[in-house]
Amino acid sequence: MSPSTESGSIDWEYAPAPESEAIGRVKDRYLPFIDGKFIEGGGDDLVTINPGRGEPLSTVSTVDEADLDTAVRAARRAYEGPWSKLSGAERGKYLFRIARGIAERSRELAVLESLDNGKPIKETRDFDVPTAAQHFFYHAGWADKLGHLGYGPDPRPLGVAGQVIPWNFPLLMAAWKIGPALAAGNTVVIKPAETTPLSALVLAEIIADADLPPGVVNVVTGAGDIGAALVGHPGLDKVAFTGSTAVGKQIQQTLAGTGRKLTLELGGKGANIVFADAAIDQAVEGIVNGIFFNSGQVCCAGSRLLVQEPIAEELITRLIERTETLRVGDPLDKNTDVGAINSRAQWNKITELTQAGIDEGAQVWRSSCPLPDKGFFVSPTIFTGATQTMRIAREEIFGPVLSVITFRTPDEALAKANNSPYGLSAGVWTEKGSRAMAMAARLQAGVIWDNTWNKFDPASPFGGYQESGFGREGGPAGLAAYLDTDDEAVIK
Ligand code: NDP
């Protein structure tokens, strides 16, 4: 847009730059993918909502328990049949094909994901979709090198993996779970979240186009009851779940005593710790990225900012100035920084917890960026004067809401950071490398970033402690979760 001078002053506001919705090729109706075919499921249809507008986007046929059973049996046949007879190099070729298929349909997937999830197109285009492809590329490379992982000369797959994924990174979570499972030689039955099933079903099309043998990957659709039925299915050898701690605990109970391998990647309340010697502008960028990326709907979000007292005032001032520049709005607009919240239910949860912060006496600041009239939007919100006992400092809000707490000494920062039932992510901002290392050694979190936040790589293990779950995803450790590492060959 050319700057307007009508009123005498120059208006440098961005003009809307929406990506075309047509690129997403949204169909009226989607079907689950079982045994190499898209089939009508026996369950009730579900309507998936476009959170950017609060309106229906498409209809999805869901599975019933009989379909689920068919999917698990198909995965077993595929495992015992063609898939386990392939060499690692041949398996790797299929993974490379899937990676290329994602890359070829990347623009469509970016738009579709933005429409179904509500996240900004610049995130789906520059992060979710390329990182999903990267996970298949990375794991393709391991498929014929499993003997070099350090788990014995010829580690064996487990068999059939049941996987349940959430709505915050729908395509990426599917890639993150399917990639290592297939590279290790397993077959898969995966259930996407009911609010975001579309990208996993397009991934199923890519998998079908890659000519994977029928049954190697099955995508079953439905709500939480289908997730529960899947993880409890006796035909599985391994369960992998990403989602809430409450459901993770239920799954742990279901699997207790079955001998099946389980990995749980659950919630978090990441502590982002800024020392007085930190480079403030970089820290501000890291804090903004840590809490407003994907509207804070990120398990490893830096939702607790711990700032050293001497710089607290200056840091908060600069943080507010920077946050005020974020554009909240149409997820398909390429200028949008903060998109929609995924569902009305999640919007309600964020609103309730934000109100709890106000009621408990923390000072609230909200961005003045106007919100769209329709859809599920929340203004970027910063609470100062938060204390350890407040709900906003303890519970996972899973929204664009930051709680700021101050500290004086490194020990105090550590005590406050570790005072959480979770233990997924943490970050340290300091110019002093030795301090960063000393903090990292004592922070109880699975992922610790030094002078940065939200850096992900398929080669890097990701996972948590305590109520954030157990097991690792990514890198050799992530592959171990899909291999029989108790095998005698490994022990030798
Ligand atoms: P859930 O844990 O309910 O959803 C995650 C996945 O599990 C979805 O596919 C869901 O299906 C499925 N599911 C639901 N119930 C069961 C069950 N009993 N057994 C097996 N699978 C099940 O998360 P919510 O969507 O309810 O979100 C609630 C809170 O959880 C959020 O506010 C956030 O704090 C946290 N969360 C954390 C995530 C993370 O990455 N760690 C991701 C998502 C949420 P369906 O969607 O169809 O119900």
Side-chain angles (χ1 to χ4, degrees):
M1 173 177 142
S2 57
S4 153
T5 51
E6 272 171 33
S7 60
S9 64
I10 297 179
D11 177 6
W12 291 106
E13 254 313 296
Y14 284 82
E19 184 61 284
S20 164
E21 196 172 325
I23 295 167
R25 295 170 62 190
V26 180
K27 295 191 279 197
D28 292 339
R29 190 171 162 75
Y30 289 79
L31 302 178
F33 182 66
I34 296 176
D35 204 9
K37 294 182 284 292
F38 289 93
I39 57 127
E40 278 293 342
D44 294 336
D45 281 2
L46 70 81
V47 174
T48 181
I49 304 289
N50 171 351
R53 303 220 184 98
E55 291 168 355
L57 178 65
S58 185
T59 303
V60 180
S61 164
T62 70
V63 306
D64 59 13
E65 291 206 19
D67 299 324
L68 193 63
D69 196 51
T70 307
V72 174
R73 285 173 196 278
R76 175 66 56 193
R77 269 197 311 278
Y79 175 70
E80 285 169 0
W83 197 239
S84 60
K85 300 195 172 54
L86 286 180
S87 67
E90 289 301 314
R91 276 202 316 277
K93 286 182 194 169
Y94 283 107
L95 281 127
F96 277 123
R97 266 194 221 169
I98 298 169
R100 282 198 298 270
I102 294 173
E104 278 163 20
R105 295 178 69 175
S106 59
R107 211 165 154 211
E108 171 195 348
L109 280 164
V111 172
L112 182 76
E113 192 80 314
S114 188
L115 286 167
D116 200 24
N117 170 280
K119 60 174 77 191
I121 184 77
K122 72 176 175 190
E123 287 184 13
T124 57
R125 182 196 60 197
D126 299 345
F127 178 72
D128 295 64
V129 178
T131 315
Q134 218 185 351
H135 270 270
F136 281 105
F137 275 124
Y138 173 80
H139 287 103
W142 272 118
D144 62 347
K145 302 174 194 70
L146 299 177
H148 300 275
L149 279 166
Y151 307 121
D154 190 19
R156 289 198 303 261
L158 295 169
V160 179
Q163 306 177 324
V164 177
I165 55 171
W167 41 264
N168 52 344
F169 294 92
L171 178 69
L172 178 56
M173 282 302 113
W176 182 295
K177 293 253 184 300
I178 297 173
L182 297 191
N186 303 274
T187 57
V188 164
V189 181
I190 188 167
K191 190 199 90 68
E194 63 182 302
T195 59
T196 54
L198 303 191
S199 56
L201 293 169
V202 172
L203 179 61
E205 290 175 15
I206 291 168
I207 284 169
D209 288 346
D211 272 339
L212 238 75
V216 173
V217 174
N218 305 270
V219 182
V220 293
T221 43
D225 57 333
I226 290 298
L230 173 58
V231 300
H233 197 290
L236 301 182
D237 301 293
K238 148 90 190 173
V239 171
F241 172 77
T242 298
S244 62
T245 297
V247 171
K249 285 180 182 176
Q250 284 174 27
I251 294 175
Q252 210 173 358
Q253 282 169 5
T254 305
L255 265 70
T258 64
R260 278 172 224 141
K261 266 204 175 183
L262 172 65
T263 40
L264 295 176
E265 203 269 274
L266 311 175
K269 193 77 189 171
N272 207 349
I273 305 166
V274 185
F275 283 94
D277 68 343
I280 288 202
D281 286 334
Q282 281 100 316
V284 165
E285 287 309 308
I287 297 161
V288 166
N289 179 284
I291 187 62
F292 301 124
F293 176 63
N294 198 19
S295 297
Q297 300 167 114
V298 185
C299 49
C300 55
S303 50
R304 285 184 298 157
L305 172 62
L306 302 188
V307 53
Q308 204 163 17
E309 279 187 8
I311 58 156
E313 206 178 313
E314 183 185 355
L315 182 84
I316 292 164
T317 304
R318 289 209 216 173
L319 177 63
I320 285 176
E321 277 168 17
R322 175 67 180 93
T323 306
E324 186 63 21
T325 68
L326 298 177
R327 285 178 295 276
V328 187
D330 179 5
L332 280 191
D333 192 321
K334 291 170 210 154
N335 293 321
T336 292
D337 298 305
V338 179
I341 299 304
N342 179 245
S343 64
R344 171 63 68 191
Q346 188 58 26
W347 188 94
N348 288 341
K349 182 186 168 196
I350 297 167
T351 307
E352 190 232 309
L353 276 163
T354 304
Q355 189 56 46
I358 296 167
D359 295 344
E360 286 184 308
Q363 290 84 57
V364 67
W365 173 89
R366 286 192 179 100
S367 156
S368 67
C369 184
L371 303 183
D373 301 334
K374 291 199 282 186
F376 316 134
F377 291 88
V378 173
S379 303
T381 303
I382 298 173
F383 276 107
T384 51
T387 63
Q388 300 262 74
T389 53
M390 290 180 180
R391 287 183 69 196
I392 52 167
R394 303 201 64 74
E395 295 181 30
E396 186 179 48
I397 300 177
F398 228 61
V401 183
L402 178 69
S403 302
V404 185
I405 298 169
T406 59
F407 69 90
R408 291 179 188 166
T409 64
D411 279 349
E412 187 186 346
L414 270 169
K416 287 182 168 172
N418 289 340
N419 182 6
S420 168
Y422 295 112
L424 189 55
S425 64
V428 182
W429 297 82
T430 172
E431 289 290 88
K432 213 168 168 196
S434 58
R435 178 182 288 139
M437 292 314 226
M439 292 291 290
R442 294 166 67 198
L443 280 165
Q444 287 161 4
V447 181
I448 298 167
W449 285 294
D450 176 13
N451 287 321
T452 189
W453 197 277
N454 276 342
K455 289 283 176 280
F456 303 97
D457 193 291
S460 172
F462 184 90
Y465 293 103
Q466 307 181 121
E467 299 219 344
S468 293
F470 51 80
R472 294 292 176 263
E473 295 184 307
L479 276 158
Y482 287 95
L483 290 168
D484 186 358
T485 50
D486 299 330
D487 188 271
E488 269 182 42
V490 179
I491 296 161
K492 282 181 203 154

